[in-house]
Amino acid sequence: MCIRDSSNEGLEANINRQRRELEKLIPTINQQVSELEMKLRDPTVTNVSSPLEQMVEYMDNLEKEVLQLTLRAAQYNDFQVVLQVDVTNFDKLEIFKEEFVVYFKLWHGRKDWKECKERWVHMPIGTVDTDDLSNQMEKFLKVSAECFRKLDGKEPSKVFKADVELFQSLIQVIVSLCDQALEQK
């Protein structure tokens, strides 16, 4: 009986040690979220003049950090389950991810928009696939409106939305010209 008691005591001591270590790690998630928030508050993120390629790369790198932190938080939760302690809700991380996704969509949307717009402007009228163009425009309208709404009209979202809406008015003309070109054939 003594051998079994001492092994149980050793196991319990090990579990308690792991619980204490995990307790120390849990706050690091919120600390790292604060660091990510600072990166998202960088003035270049809300500056409409920031280079698109640079901002997309910045957002991609930030996304990697967010994903790593999300995975680590999930691992900590898994450890908490195994160690039979209360599972921590990482609300601050979840709130940050919601905000981050909007900025990610904004900068990727602006980049994709610029590329599509340049391609469309240089496309001969007779070769325009009006259905595809309309579908793409609908997607850009939705993304730009969502970014504008969720970012309270911050300058990059305002410019993105205005540019997409302006081009939308030109789409009607392009579609009409394409229809006329098809009728003449």
Side-chain angles (χ1 to χ4, degrees), residues 49-184:
S49 302
S50 296
L52 284 177
E53 295 296 327
Q54 179 182 337
M55 292 312 303
V56 167
E57 183 179 340
Y58 187 81
M59 289 293 128
D60 287 345
N61 290 334
L62 202 53
E63 180 189 37
K64 290 175 188 172
E65 291 182 56
V66 171
L67 290 174
Q68 288 173 349
L69 192 56
T70 301
L71 287 173
R72 191 169 320 116
Q75 286 176 330
Y76 291 173
N77 285 157
D78 290 344
F79 294 152
Q80 288 175 317
V81 169
V82 169
L83 295 172
Q84 299 175 345
V85 295
D86 291 338
V87 175
T88 303
N89 290 326
F90 293 105
D91 294 334
K92 187 174 179 178
L93 175 59
E94 294 307 314
I95 291 167
F96 173 78
K97 286 176 12 183
E98 289 174 11
E99 181 181 9
F100 168 73
V101 165
V102 179
Y103 281 103
F104 187 87
K105 285 181 180 181
L106 170 69
W107 288 104
H108 276 271
R110 288 188 69 205
K111 178 183 172 282
D112 294 345
W113 169 247
K114 180 182 175 191
E115 291 169 359
C116 285
K117 185 177 161 185
E118 287 174 6
R119 187 177 69 245
W120 293 334
V121 166
H122 294 94
M123 192 178 282
I125 292 292
T127 63
V128 174
D129 179 348
T130 56
D131 290 335
D132 181 55
L133 180 63
S134 295
N135 290 337
Q136 290 288 331
M137 279 304 301
E138 188 176 318
K139 290 177 186 174
F140 283 116
L141 284 166
K142 285 181 182 178
V143 169
S144 64
E146 177 188 1
C147 291
F148 181 80
R149 186 180 72 254
K150 290 185 176 179
L151 295 175
D152 297 324
K154 288 188 176 147
E155 195 63 23
S157 65
K158 187 187 304 182
V159 169
F160 182 33
K161 183 176 184 277
D163 196 30
V164 171
E165 288 174 347
L166 176 63
F167 199 79
Q168 173 65 20
S169 64
L170 298 175
I171 294 300
Q172 318 307 358
V173 175
I174 293 170
V175 169
S176 295
L177 289 173
C178 288
D179 289 344
Q180 289 174 3
L182 288 175
E183 288 175 11
Q184 291 176 359

Side-chain angles (χ1 to χ4, degrees), residues 27-38:
T28 64
I29 297 291
N30 284 336
Q31 291 167 351
Q32 289 173 323
V33 170
S34 295
E35 292 170 15
L36 291 174
E37 287 173 334
M38 293 297 290

